[in-house]
C-alpha cells in the first residue's frame, strides 16, 4: 500500500513520540567539553540539498503539518489561480507532481512566463511548476515554513569535488536521513541561516559516516563555541509577527505555537528552572503522544470499518451474481419457448410448401399435355413466331431513326466546331484602347489643378482619336461576318437539342468528350450494321429454301431436286433467322443503359456549353458593335469641336437681368402704394407685369435646367474637365444635387403667402408659378446638415426620375438656399385638401378609389425601396389621393435619417400607431418598417369606425374585425411582429387578392355640407399641412 508524504510523517511521528514517552527524555544534553547546555531534538528528514546539508521538521510539528495538509486539501482545489507574476515574499499553494497533493510553496526563481521554480517551505525541496498548478492562499496560511535547514557540524564539501561524487554523497546522505527520525544536537548557526548540528541515525554518527565515505572533509578552521554563539542558536524558530500566522489553523495550530513558544523559552533561559521545564515537557509530550495514538486508532478503526464494508460489498456482489444466473436461466427458458414456436411455424410452412409443390406438379402435367399438343403443330408454331417477329421488324425499320445513335449530336458537333466564330483581333485592340480612354477620363475627372488639366486633355484627345479609329476597324470587321445568321443557327440548334435531350447541366468536361462520343457512336453503328446484315442474310437463305421447296412440290416443274436437298438444314435455317430477327428487334427497341446515356449526355452538355459560349461571344460582339457605332456617332461631333458653356452663362445673365427688373418693379409698386393716392389701373398693370416677370424668370430657370442637363451629360460621358475649367457655371453643384440645387431661384422672387397658422416651427410659404401651386418648406441647416440634406434629396430625386409621373412619389422640384440666413428651402407641388386624412374626413374613398390610391402608394414605396431608401414617414397626412384616383407618397424631412423620421409623434392614424415594433424597440428602420405602416393604413382606411386596439407586442389586433380570410392573411403578413416575415412591396403588388378587402359595412356615406362640417374640414386641412409639410419629426 502506497502512502503519501503526510501519512508517512504521521506514522513516524507517532512511533517516535511513544518512544520518547517511555524514555522520558527531556530533549537536552550537556556539552561536557564546555559545560554548556545544547539543544537536542528529533527531526524527520525530508530533503537532501548536498552531501552535508539536509532539510527536516521537528517531530513536535508533524501533527500540525498534517493539519496544514488537510486544510490545503480543502482550500486549494477551489482557490483562485495566480494572476500575473508571483511575489517572492508570498506563500502559495502548489500541486506536487509525485503524489498530486497540495503543499505550501514559495517562489525561488522565474524560469518562463508560464513556469516557475518553487520551494516547498514545509519540506525544503524545490520543483518547477506550471502556472496552472499554483493557487493563491488566504492570509491565515501566510506564515513561515515548518522545515528547517541543517548542516553537519565541522564538515565541508571539498572545493575540487566533481559532479559524480557530489551526487553520490547526496544519495548516501539520503539513505541515512530521508524519511527517517534522526537526533540532532545544535552546535551553532551558519551565516546562511542553516543550523550546524551533530546528527545520529540508528546509532550512527551521520557526519562520521559521510566523512568516512570521502564525500566531505573536516573544516580547516574550527568554530568558536561560546555562550554567545550558543545563544544565537537559541533564537525562537517562529517568533513575533510570523508566529501570529499560526492562529488560522485552530486549536491544533495554537498547540503547535505554544510548543514553539515553550521551546523558545527553554532555549533562551538559564539552567536554574530546569526541573520545572522537564516536568512540563514530559506532560506536553505525553499529551501529544496520546493525541497521536488516538489518531492512529481512529485510522485503524476506519480501516476495520472499511473491511466490514468490503465484506458487505462482497455479499452484495455474490447476491448479484445469483440474480444474474437466475436471469440467464429465465432467458434460456424463454429462448427455448421461442424455438418451439419457430419449429411449429416451420412445420406449418413445410405443409404449405408441400401443397404448393402438388399444385406445381399439376401445372407441369397440364404443360406437358400442352407441349404434346404443340408438337403436333410445331412447324406452324415456329413459322407463326418467325412471321410475327419479321412483321414487327419491318415496322421498326420503317420507323427507326438514325438518331438512335446520336446523329443529331454528331451534326451539332460539326456545326459548333466547323463554323465557330472566334475572338476578333480588332475587338481586343478596341477593348485595350477603350480601357485606356476610360483611364484617361478618370484621371481628368480626379484632377483638381488647372495647370495640369490641359496636358491631360491633350492626352485624352489623342487616346480618343485612337479609340475612334479602333471602333471604325472593329465595325468594319464585324459587318463582314454573318453574325445574325450564326445567331439564328445556334438558337435553332440549341432549341432542337433541348427538346430532344431536355435541359442541360453544367459540367467540367474535358476536351476528350467528343472523341469518346464518336468512338462510342462508331462502335454502336458497326455493331448494329453487322446484326442488320446477318438478319438480311438469314432471311435471304430462308427465302431461297422456300423457293426450292415450292419448286420441289410443283409436279409440273422441270427442276429435279431430291427430298434430302429440300429438307436438309431447314431447322438450322429457321432457328438462325429467328435468332437474328429477335436480336435486331432487341437492339432496336431496347433502351440505352446508364453508360450509353452518360456518354450521350456528356456530349450533349458539352455541345450546349459550346453553343452558349459562342452565343455569349456573339452577344459581346453585338453589344460592342452597337456601342462602337453609338460612340462613333456621338464622338464624331466632338473630334474637332469643344463644348461651350456660353449658352448657360447667357441664360444666367438673362435671369440676373430679369431678377433686377423684378426687384425694380417691386420697389416701384411699393413706392406707389406708400403714397396713399395712386392709380388703381397703374397698380394693376404693374402687378401683371410683375407676374409676367416671375413667369419669365421661371421659364429662364427651366431653360437653365435643360442646359445643365445637356452639359451634365457632356461632362459625364465626354468632358469631365468642364467643372474645373468653368467654375462659374457651377456644373459640379448641379451634378452633386441631381439637378435640384440652384442659385438662380430665391425665396423673394416668389409672391409668397405665409402659412404661419400651419407652421410654428419653420418657414412655410405657398406660391403659384405658371398656374401651378407650389410649396416652399424651409429647413434650418448648418454645413454638415446641408450636405446630408442635399445628398438625401438627390437620392430621392434620382429614384423619382426613373419613372417620374409613374413613380408614385411626390416630385421635388428644386432646392434653394437662403442667402440671408442658414435656411434651405425644398420646392414641391402643393395639393391642398388631397391628403388621406382630409379626404377621409370629408368624403371617404370608395372601394374602387381606395384600390387605385393604395396601389399608387405601394408603387411609390417600391420605387424608394428599389433605390435602398426607407421612407420612414408614411402616415395619413403624407399620402395624397390626387383627384381621388392617383395615390402618391409625399416627400420627407431630408435633414433627418429614416430612424429619426420614424419615431415622430404624428406617425399615427387616429389612435392606431404606425411605427413598427422593431423601431420602437430601438432597432434601425428598414423597408419592412414602411410595409408595417402601409398595412396599418390599409386597416385604418377600411375600418375607420373601429377603434383598433394594439397587442402587447405592438401589432394591431385584428381578431375582432370582420374581414375576408384571404385579405386577413395578406394584411397579417404586412403587420406581423418579425420584420423578416413581412411581405416586400414587390411581393405585395403581385398578390392576387391585393386590396380587395370586404368591409362589414359600406364606408360610402353622404357628407353633409353644413357650416360645422366646413370647420371640421378646415381643421383637418390644418392638421394635414402641419404633419405632412412641416418637417416630419422636427423639433
Amino acid at each position: 500500500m502506497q502512502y503519501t508524504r503526510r501519512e508517512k510523517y504521521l506514522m513516524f511521528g507517532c512511533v517516535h513520540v511513544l518512544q520518547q514517552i517511555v524514555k522520558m527524555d527531556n530533549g537536552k544534553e550537556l556539552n561536557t567539553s564546555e559545560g554548556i547546555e545544547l539543544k537536542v531534538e528529533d527531526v524527520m528528514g525530508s530533503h537532501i540539498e548536498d552531501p552535508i546539508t539536509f532539510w527536516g521538521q521537528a517531530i513536535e510539528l508533524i501533527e500540525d503539518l498534517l493539519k496544514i495538509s488537510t486544510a490545503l486539501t480543502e482550500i486549494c482545489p477551489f482557490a483562485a489561480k495566480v494572476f500575473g507574476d508571483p511575489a517572492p515574499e508570498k506563500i502559495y499553494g502548489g500541486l506536487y507532481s509525485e503524489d498530486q497533493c497540495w503543499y505550501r510553496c514559495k517562489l525561488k526563481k522565474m524560469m518562463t512566463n508560464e513556469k516557475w521554480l518553487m520551494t516547498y517551505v514545509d519540506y525544503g525541496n524545490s520543483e518547477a511548476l506550471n502556472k496552472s498548478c499554483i493557487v493563491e492562499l488566504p492570509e491565515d496560511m501566510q506564515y513561515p515554513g515548518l522545515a528547517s535547514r541543517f548542516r553537519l557540524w565541522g564538515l565541508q564539501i571539498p572545493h575540487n569535488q566533481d559532479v559524480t561524487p557530489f551526487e553520490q554523497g547526496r544519495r548516501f546522505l539520503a539513505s541515512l536521513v530521508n524519511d527517517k527520525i534522526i537526533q540532532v544536537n545544535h552546535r551553532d548557526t551558519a551565516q546562511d541561516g542553516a543550523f550546524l548540528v551533530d546528527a545520529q541515525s540508528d546509532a550512527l554518527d551521520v557526519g562520521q559516516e559521510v566523512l568516512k565515505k570521502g564525500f566531505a572533509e573536516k573544516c580547516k578552521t574550527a568554530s568558536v563555541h561560546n555562550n554567545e554563539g550558543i545563544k544565537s542558536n537559541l533564537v525562537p524558530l517562529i517568533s513575533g509577527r510570523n508566529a501570529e500566522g499560526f492562529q488560522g489553523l485552530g486549536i491544533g495550530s495554537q498547540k503547535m505555537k505554544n510548543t514553539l513558544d515553550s521551546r523558545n523559552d527553554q532555549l533562551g533561559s538559564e539552567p536554574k528552572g530546569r526541573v520545572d521545564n522537564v516536568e512540563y515537557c514530559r506532560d506536553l509530550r505525553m499529551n501529544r503522544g496520546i493525541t497521536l495514538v488516538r489518531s492512529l486508532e481512529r485510522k485503524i478503526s476506519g480501516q476495520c470499518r472499511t473491511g466490514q464494508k468490503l465484506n458487505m460489498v462482497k455479499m452484495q456482489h455474490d447476491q448479484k451474481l445469483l440474480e444474474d444466473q437466475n436471469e440467464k436461466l429465465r432467458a434460456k427458458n424463454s429462448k427455448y419457448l421461442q424455438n418451439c414456436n419457430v419449429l411449429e411455424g416451420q412445420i406449418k410452412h413445410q405443409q404449405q410448401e408441400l401443397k404448393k409443390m402438388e399444385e406445381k406438379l399439376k401445372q407441369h402435367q397440364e404443360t406437358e399435355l400442352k407441349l404434346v399438343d404443340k408438337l403436333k403443330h410445331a412447324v406452324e408454331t415456329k413459322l407463326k413466331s418467325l412471321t410475327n417477329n419479321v412483321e414487327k421488324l419491318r415496322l421498326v425499320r420503317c420507323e427507326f431513326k438514325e438518331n438512335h445513335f446520336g446523329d443529331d449530336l454528331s451534326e451539332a458537333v460539326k456545326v459548333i466546331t466547323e463554323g465557330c466564330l472566334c475572338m476578333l483581333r480588332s475587338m481586343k485592340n478596341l477593348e485595350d484602347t477603350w480601357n485606356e480612354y476610360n483611364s484617361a477620363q478618370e484621371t481628368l475627372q480626379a484632377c483638381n489643378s488647372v495647370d495640369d488639366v490641359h496636358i491631360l486633355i491633350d492626352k485624352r484627345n489623342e487616346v480618343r482619336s485612337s479609340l475612334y479609329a479602333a471602333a471604325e476597324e472593329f465595325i468594319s470587321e464585324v459587318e463582314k461576318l454573318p453574325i445574325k445568321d450564326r445567331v439564328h443557327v445556334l438558337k435553332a440548334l440549341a432549341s432542337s437539342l433541348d427538346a430532344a435531350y431536355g435541359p442541360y447541366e453544367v459540367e467540367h468536361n474535358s476536351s476528350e468528350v467528343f472523341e469518346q462520343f464518336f468512338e462510342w457512336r462508331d462502335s454502336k453503328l458497326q455493331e448494329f450494321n453487322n446484326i442488320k446484315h446477318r438478319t438480311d442474310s438469314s432471311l435471304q437463305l430462308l427465302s431461297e429454301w422456300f423457293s426450292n421447296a415450292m419448286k420441289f412440290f410443283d409436279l409440273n416443274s422441270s427442276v429435279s431436286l431430291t427430298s434430302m436437298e429440300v429438307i436438309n438444314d431447314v431447322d438450322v435455317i429457321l432457328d438462325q433467322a429467328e435468332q437474328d430477327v429477335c436480336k435486331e428487334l432487341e437492339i432496336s427497341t431496347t433502351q440505352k443503359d446508364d453508360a450509353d446515356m452518360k456518354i450521350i449526355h456528356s456530349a450533349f452538355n458539352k455541345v450546349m456549353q459550346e453553343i452558349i459560349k459562342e452565343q455569349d461571344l456573339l452577344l459581346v460582339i453585338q453589344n460592342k458593335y452597337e456601342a462602337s457605332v453609338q460612340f462613333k456617332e456621338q464622338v464624331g461631333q466632338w473630334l474637332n469641336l469643344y463644348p461651350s458653356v456660353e449658352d448657360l452663362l447667357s441664360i444666367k445673365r438673362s435671369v440676373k437681368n430679369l431678377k433686377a427688373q423684378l426687384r425694380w418693379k417691386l420697389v416701384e409698386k411699393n413706392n406707389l402704394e406708400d403714397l396713399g393716392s395712386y392709380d388703381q389701373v397703374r397698380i394693376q398693370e404693374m402687378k401683371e407685369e410683375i407676374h409676367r416677370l416671375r413667369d419669365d424668370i421661371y421659364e429662364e430657370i427651366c431653360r437653365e435646367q435643360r442646359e445643365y442637363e445637356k452639359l451634365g451629360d457632356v461632362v459625364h460621358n465626354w468632358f469631365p474637365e468642364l467643372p474645373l475649367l468653368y467654375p462659374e457655371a457651377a456644373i459640379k453643384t448641379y451634378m452633386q444635387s441631381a439637378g435640384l440645387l440652384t442659385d438662380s431661384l430665391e425665396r423673394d422672387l416668389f409672391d409668397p403667402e405665409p402659412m404661419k397658422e400651419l407652421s410654428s416651427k419653420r418657414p412655410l410659404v405657398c406660391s403659384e408659378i405658371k398656374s401651378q401651386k407650389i410649396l416652399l418648406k424651409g429647413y434650418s441647416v448648418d454645413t454638415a446638415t446641408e450636405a446630408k440634406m442635399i445628398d438625401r434629396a438627390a437620392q430621392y430625386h434620382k429614384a423619382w426620375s426613373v419613372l417620374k409621373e409613374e413613380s408614385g412619389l411626390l416630385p421635388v422640384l428644386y432646392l434653394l438656399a437662403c442667402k440671408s440666413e442658414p435656411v434651405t428651402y425644398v420646392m414641391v407641388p402643393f395639393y391642398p385638401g388631397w391628403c388621406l386624412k382630409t379626404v377621409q374626413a370629408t368624403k371617404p374613398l370608395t372601394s374602387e378609389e381606395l384600390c387605385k390610391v393604395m396601389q399608387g402608394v405601394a408603387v411609390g414605396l417600391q420605387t424608394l425601396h428599389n433605390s435602398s431608401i426607407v421612407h420612414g414617414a408614411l402616415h395619413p397626412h403624407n399620402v395624397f389621393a390626387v383627384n381621388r384616383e392617383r395615390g402618391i407618397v409625399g416627400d420627407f424631412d431630408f435633414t433627418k435619417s429614416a430612424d429619426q423620421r420614424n419615431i415622430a409623434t404624428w406617425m399615427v392614424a387616429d389612435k392606431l400607431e404606425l411605427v413598427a415594433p422593431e423601431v420602437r424597440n430601438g432597432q434601425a428602420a428598414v423597408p419592412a418598417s414602411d410595409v408595417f405602416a402601409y398595412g396599418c393604413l390599409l386597416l385604418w382606411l377600411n375600418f375607420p369606425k373601429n377603434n383598433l386596439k394594439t397587442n402587447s407586442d405592438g401589432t394591431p389586433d385584428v381578431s375582432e374585425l370582420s374581414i375576408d380570410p384571404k385579405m386577413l392573411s395578406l394584411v397579417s403578413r404586412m403587420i406581423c411582429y418579425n420584420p423578416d416575415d413581412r411581405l416586400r412591396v414587390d411581393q405585395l403588388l403581385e398578390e392576387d387578392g391585393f386590396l380587395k378587402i370586404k368591409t362589414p359595412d359600406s364606408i360610402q356615406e353622404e357628407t353633409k355640407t353644413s357650416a360645422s362640417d366646413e370647420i371640421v374640414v378646415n381643421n383637418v386641412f390644418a392638421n394635414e399641412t402641419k404633419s405632412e409639410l412641416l418637417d416630419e419629426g422636427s423639433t
Side-chain angles (χ1 to χ4, degrees):
M1 182 176 179
Q2 296 293 330
Y3 295 97
T4 62
R5 176 186 287 174
R6 64 186 68 165
E7 292 172 341
K8 291 179 181 178
Y9 276 40
L10 175 60
M11 289 187 290
F12 283 130
C14 293
V15 172
H16 182 73
V17 168
L18 292 174
Q19 293 174 353
Q20 294 301 313
I21 292 172
V22 175
K23 293 180 180 179
M24 302 296 291
D25 186 8
N26 61 2
K28 290 186 180 180
E29 67 180 21
L30 187 67
N31 188 334
T32 55
S33 61
E34 300 182 11
I36 299 174
E37 186 179 2
L38 299 179
K39 175 188 174 185
V40 180
E41 63 179 339
D42 293 328
V43 174
M44 183 74 171
S46 60
H47 175 61
I48 306 302
E49 184 174 313
D50 57 42
I52 62 172
T53 307
F54 62 93
W55 290 75
Q57 304 95 344
I59 291 299
E60 292 85 351
L61 302 179
I62 289 180
E63 181 180 358
D64 293 279
L65 188 64
L66 182 61
K67 292 182 179 293
I68 293 174
S69 299
T70 304
L72 291 174
T73 303
E74 297 174 355
I75 295 172
C76 292
F78 307 101
K81 301 294 182 182
V82 177
F83 181 76
D85 295 336
E89 69 280 357
K90 194 173 181 181
I91 294 179
Y92 300 90
L95 187 64
Y96 189 36
S97 61
E98 289 189 10
D99 57 8
Q100 295 297 307
C101 293
W102 294 94
Y103 300 99
R104 297 195 305 152
C105 60
K106 197 172 185 180
L107 177 66
K108 184 175 183 181
K109 181 182 179 182
M110 292 281 293
M111 301 177 71
T112 62
N113 291 335
E114 297 295 330
K115 201 165 188 178
W116 307 323
L117 184 62
M118 308 295 289
T119 298
Y120 294 104
V121 297
D122 295 325
Y123 296 94
N125 58 319
S126 299
E127 183 182 22
L129 293 179
N130 291 326
K131 187 177 181 180
S132 59
C133 297
I134 305 173
V135 297
E136 297 279 356
L137 290 181
E139 288 297 329
D140 57 1
M141 302 294 286
Q142 301 292 327
Y143 48 82
L146 304 185
S148 300
R149 190 161 169 256
F150 302 97
R151 185 172 295 140
L152 297 176
W153 167 261
L155 299 182
Q156 66 179 15
I157 300 173
H159 296 290
N160 57 352
Q161 190 178 53
D162 293 335
V163 176
T164 301
F166 181 85
E167 290 298 327
Q168 292 176 349
R170 289 182 72 251
R171 288 195 293 269
F172 179 73
L173 183 61
S175 65
L176 299 176
V177 173
N178 242 12
D179 293 335
K180 294 184 179 181
I181 299 175
I182 59 176
Q183 187 180 66
V184 296
N185 298 331
H186 289 256
R187 304 299 294 271
D188 204 344
T189 303
Q191 293 181 355
D192 58 358
F195 295 112
L196 300 178
V197 298
D198 291 329
Q200 289 186 357
S201 175
D202 297 333
L204 293 177
D205 190 327
V206 177
Q208 291 299 324
E209 294 299 324
V210 172
L211 186 63
K212 288 178 183 179
K213 293 292 183 178
F215 298 125
E217 62 183 10
K218 290 187 177 182
C219 296
K220 295 179 180 180
T221 57
S223 299
V224 179
H225 303 91
N226 52 28
N227 290 340
E228 296 299 328
I230 295 301
K231 286 183 180 181
S232 66
N233 185 34
L234 303 180
V235 178
L237 296 175
I238 301 175
S239 61
R241 172 172 58 88
N242 294 332
E244 297 174 0
F246 284 95
Q247 298 175 3
L249 289 177
I251 300 174
S253 296
Q254 190 63 33
K255 186 189 297 181
M256 179 180 69
K257 180 177 181 298
N258 295 335
T259 302
L260 291 175
D261 291 342
S262 66
R263 292 173 61 198
N264 293 334
D265 293 340
Q266 294 171 22
L267 293 173
S269 62
E270 294 298 326
K272 60 183 178 180
R274 179 176 182 82
V275 177
D276 294 336
N277 288 337
V278 168
E279 292 297 330
Y280 175 77
C281 289
R282 182 182 298 112
D283 294 340
L284 181 63
R285 294 191 181 190
M286 180 65 72
N287 291 336
R288 182 171 292 107
I290 293 171
T291 302
L292 291 176
V293 169
R294 288 176 180 174
S295 299
L296 281 177
E297 288 177 352
R298 285 196 299 272
K299 185 169 184 179
I300 293 171
S301 63
Q303 293 178 352
C304 292
R305 286 194 297 273
T306 303
Q308 294 175 358
K309 291 181 180 179
L310 288 175
N311 292 333
M312 185 177 295
V313 169
K314 187 175 183 305
M315 292 174 62
Q316 293 176 353
H317 178 69
D318 294 339
Q319 185 176 357
K320 180 65 175 177
L321 290 177
L322 291 175
E323 292 176 355
D324 292 343
Q325 289 178 358
N326 292 334
E327 186 65 28
K328 290 179 180 178
L329 290 175
R330 284 193 291 268
K332 284 183 179 181
N333 186 26
S334 177
K335 187 174 182 181
Y336 290 148
L337 291 176
Q338 291 177 0
N339 291 338
C340 290
N341 294 332
V342 170
L343 289 175
E344 291 178 359
Q346 289 178 352
I347 292 172
K348 292 180 181 179
H349 179 70
Q350 293 296 334
Q351 291 174 350
Q352 293 174 358
E353 289 293 327
L354 181 59
K355 291 181 180 179
K356 290 180 180 179
M357 291 177 66
E358 291 175 353
E359 292 176 357
K360 285 184 179 180
L361 180 59
K362 291 180 181 180
Q363 293 176 359
H364 285 315
Q365 290 174 352
E366 292 175 358
T367 303
E368 184 179 356
L369 294 175
K370 290 180 181 179
L371 287 176
V372 171
D373 185 61
K374 284 184 179 180
L375 286 176
K376 296 177 181 180
H377 307 86
V379 176
E380 178 186 357
T381 302
K382 185 172 289 189
L383 288 177
K384 185 177 180 180
S385 175
L386 178 61
T387 53
N388 288 336
N389 288 333
V390 170
E391 188 176 4
K392 291 179 183 178
L393 183 59
R394 183 178 288 110
L395 293 175
V396 169
R397 284 194 177 185
C398 292
E399 298 175 358
F400 187 73
K401 303 294 183 182
E402 292 297 331
N403 190 37
H404 188 74
F405 298 111
D407 244 26
D408 53 352
L409 282 178
S410 178
E411 291 297 326
V413 172
K414 292 180 181 179
V415 170
I416 64 174
T417 54
E418 294 177 0
C420 179
L421 293 178
C422 301
M423 179 71 71
L424 304 180
R425 179 187 58 81
S426 58
M427 188 169 75
K428 183 66 171 64
N429 183 34
L430 176 67
E431 290 177 348
D432 295 340
T433 309
W434 209 305
N435 291 334
E436 188 178 356
Y437 175 75
N438 290 335
S439 177
Q441 289 287 73
E442 292 173 359
T443 305
L444 263 175
Q445 186 177 6
C447 181
N448 295 321
S449 173
V450 180
D451 298 333
D452 300 335
V453 73
H454 294 288
I455 299 174
L456 297 176
I457 291 174
D458 294 339
K459 182 178 179 181
R460 188 271 317 277
N461 293 341
E462 181 181 352
V463 177
R464 186 175 60 191
S465 300
S466 301
L467 180 58
Y468 187 83
E472 282 187 329
E473 181 184 2
F474 176 72
I475 292 171
S476 176
E477 186 175 358
V478 170
E479 289 176 348
K480 296 177 183 179
L481 298 175
I483 293 180
K484 292 184 178 180
D485 296 338
R486 184 66 178 175
V487 169
H488 292 317
V489 169
L490 293 177
K491 184 176 181 181
L493 182 60
S495 178
S496 64
L497 292 178
D498 185 70
Y501 297 97
Y504 87 102
E505 299 176 357
V506 178
E507 295 182 0
H508 300 287
N509 295 322
S510 62
S511 59
E512 300 176 354
V513 171
F514 290 154
E515 296 179 3
Q516 294 175 356
F517 169 72
F518 281 115
E519 289 177 1
W520 170 84
R521 183 172 181 274
D522 293 342
S523 174
K524 290 293 182 180
L525 282 176
Q526 183 66 33
E527 180 185 0
F528 179 73
N529 290 333
N530 291 338
I531 293 174
K532 186 177 180 182
H533 178 70
R534 287 199 300 268
T535 303
D536 293 339
S537 300
S538 299
L539 293 177
Q540 181 64 32
L541 287 174
L542 185 59
S543 298
E544 291 177 359
W545 181 86
F546 276 113
S547 177
N548 292 333
M550 184 180 63
K551 292 177 182 180
F552 176 79
F553 288 109
D554 186 4
L555 297 177
N556 296 322
S557 175
S558 60
V559 178
S560 61
L561 294 172
T562 64
S563 60
M564 292 302 298
E565 290 176 343
V566 174
I567 303 302
N568 190 28
D569 296 333
V570 62
D571 289 329
V572 176
I573 294 172
L574 284 173
D575 291 340
Q576 187 64 43
E578 178 77 16
Q579 181 181 351
D580 292 340
V581 169
C582 291
K583 184 66 176 177
E584 185 176 348
L585 277 175
E586 180 184 355
I587 292 178
S588 301
T589 58
T590 302
Q591 296 294 329
K592 303 177 184 66
D593 59 14
D594 293 341
D596 295 340
M597 294 304 298
K598 183 177 180 181
I599 293 174
I600 292 174
H601 276 287
S602 295
F604 163 69
N605 291 332
K606 182 67 174 178
V607 168
M608 291 299 294
Q609 289 178 18
E610 293 298 325
I611 290 174
I612 292 175
K613 181 180 178 181
E614 187 173 353
Q615 285 177 335
D616 293 342
L617 176 61
L618 293 176
L619 181 62
V620 171
I621 293 175
Q622 286 179 320
N623 291 339
K624 287 191 178 295
Y625 174 79
E626 294 173 0
S628 299
V629 171
Q630 184 180 6
F631 172 79
K632 183 180 176 183
E633 292 175 354
Q634 293 179 352
V635 82
Q637 60 178 326
W638 302 113
L639 288 177
N640 300 314
L641 183 65
Y642 199 78
S644 173
V645 298
E646 186 58 34
D647 292 342
L648 176 63
L649 297 178
S650 175
I651 294 173
K652 285 184 174 291
R653 289 193 293 269
S654 175
V655 170
K656 187 176 182 180
N657 185 27
L658 288 173
K659 288 196 291 187
Q661 294 180 32
L662 177 62
R663 291 190 181 94
W664 176 253
K665 287 297 180 183
L666 289 173
V667 171
E668 188 176 355
K669 171 179 167 294
N670 292 334
N671 289 337
L672 283 176
E673 290 176 346
D674 291 341
L675 291 176
S677 59
Y678 50 85
D679 187 0
Q680 292 288 344
V681 176
R682 175 61 179 162
I683 291 295
Q684 185 63 29
E685 290 178 354
M686 293 185 70
K687 287 183 178 180
E688 292 177 356
E689 188 173 0
I690 288 172
H691 184 73
R692 181 184 58 79
L693 283 173
R694 285 196 174 102
D695 290 345
D696 291 344
I697 291 173
Y698 190 74
E699 183 64 32
E700 286 296 304
I701 290 174
C702 292
R703 285 184 58 217
E704 180 187 57
Q705 289 299 104
R706 290 192 291 272
E707 191 64 28
Y708 264 125
E709 289 179 6
K710 294 179 183 178
L711 286 175
D713 183 66
V714 170
V715 169
H716 180 72
N717 294 317
W718 311 110
F719 298 95
E721 69 273 12
L722 288 181
L724 182 63
L725 294 177
Y726 303 100
E728 67 276 9
I731 301 174
K732 188 174 183 180
T733 302
Y734 167 83
M735 297 182 70
Q736 288 177 343
S737 65
L740 292 177
L741 187 62
T742 176
D743 58 352
S744 298
L745 276 176
E746 298 178 17
R747 179 180 180 273
D748 298 336
L749 297 179
F750 300 96
D751 185 14
E753 179 184 347
M755 304 178 72
K756 295 182 179 179
E757 71 280 4
L758 304 179
S759 173
S760 60
K761 296 182 179 180
R762 61 168 50 84
L764 180 68
V765 296
C766 177
S767 184
E768 183 176 343
I769 295 179
K770 298 182 76 65
S771 302
Q772 179 184 4
K773 278 189 173 293
I774 56 103
L775 198 68
L776 292 177
K777 300 188 291 183
Y779 296 91
S780 298
V781 295
D782 53 19
T783 304
T785 308
E786 184 179 23
K788 292 180 180 179
M789 177 183 180
I790 293 173
D791 181 61
R792 292 179 183 131
Q795 293 179 11
Y796 180 93
H797 183 68
K798 289 176 182 177
W800 172 86
S801 300
V802 176
L803 298 174
K804 295 189 177 180
E805 297 300 327
E806 303 298 327
S807 65
L809 297 177
L810 181 72
V812 176
L813 303 178
Y814 289 104
L815 295 177
L816 51 145
C818 184
K819 297 181 179 179
S820 59
E821 53 184 343
V823 177
T824 299
Y825 288 91
V826 178
M827 180 176 172
V828 296
F830 188 30
Y831 299 108
W834 288 116
C835 82
L836 282 183
K837 184 67 176 177
T838 303
V839 171
Q840 292 300 98
T842 55
K843 185 180 179 181
L845 298 172
T846 65
S847 297
E848 184 178 357
E849 290 171 345
L850 187 148
C851 182
K852 292 180 180 179
V853 169
M854 293 308 289
Q855 279 182 338
V857 175
V859 171
L861 289 179
Q862 185 183 23
T863 302
L864 291 175
H865 294 174
N866 288 343
S867 300
S868 301
I869 300 174
V870 179
H871 191 280
L874 194 69
H875 52 79
H877 298 290
N878 202 23
V879 175
F880 301 93
V882 181
N883 298 326
R884 303 178 65 86
E885 62 182 15
R886 183 168 66 95
I888 59 175
V889 180
D891 66 321
F892 46 77
D893 186 351
F894 297 118
T895 63
K896 290 181 171 56
S897 65
D899 298 337
Q900 294 170 327
R901 298 191 297 268
N902 223 318
I903 60 176
T905 56
W906 49 77
M907 280 293 291
V908 293
D910 290 340
K911 295 182 179 180
L912 180 61
E913 293 190 8
L914 306 178
V915 181
E918 65 272 9
V919 178
R920 286 200 295 271
N921 293 335
Q923 300 180 20
V926 293
S929 306
D930 290 340
V931 175
F932 180 87
Y934 183 87
C936 293
L937 279 179
L938 276 179
L939 289 176
W940 174 75
L941 287 170
N942 285 277
F943 301 94
K945 296 181 180 180
N946 291 72
N947 187 11
L948 296 174
K949 299 179 181 179
T950 302
N951 296 318
S952 59
D953 59 359
T955 59
D957 184 7
V958 296
S959 59
E960 299 180 359
L961 298 179
S962 176
I963 187 172
D964 181 70
K966 292 183 179 179
M967 201 59 214
L968 176 62
S969 174
L970 180 65
V971 173
S972 299
R973 285 182 287 166
M974 287 189 282
I975 61 174
C976 59
Y977 179 79
N978 190 350
D980 296 334
D981 297 336
R982 293 177 200 149
L983 288 173
R984 298 193 309 271
V985 182
D986 56 341
Q987 294 174 333
L988 180 65
L989 292 171
E990 294 174 358
E991 288 286 335
D992 294 336
F994 177 53
L995 295 177
K996 296 179 181 178
I997 301 179
K998 297 180 182 178
T999 54
D1001 51 357
S1002 175
I1003 62 171
Q1004 303 178 34
E1005 297 180 356
E1006 296 182 359
T1007 306
K1008 297 181 180 180
T1009 56
S1010 61
S1012 60
D1013 289 341
E1014 291 179 1
I1015 295 174
V1016 171
V1017 171
N1018 290 334
N1019 291 338
V1020 169
F1021 175 66
N1023 293 334
E1024 159 213 343
T1025 313
K1026 284 184 179 181
S1027 299
E1028 158 239 333
L1029 302 171
L1030 310 182
D1031 283 336
E1032 297 78 3
S1034 63
T1035 57

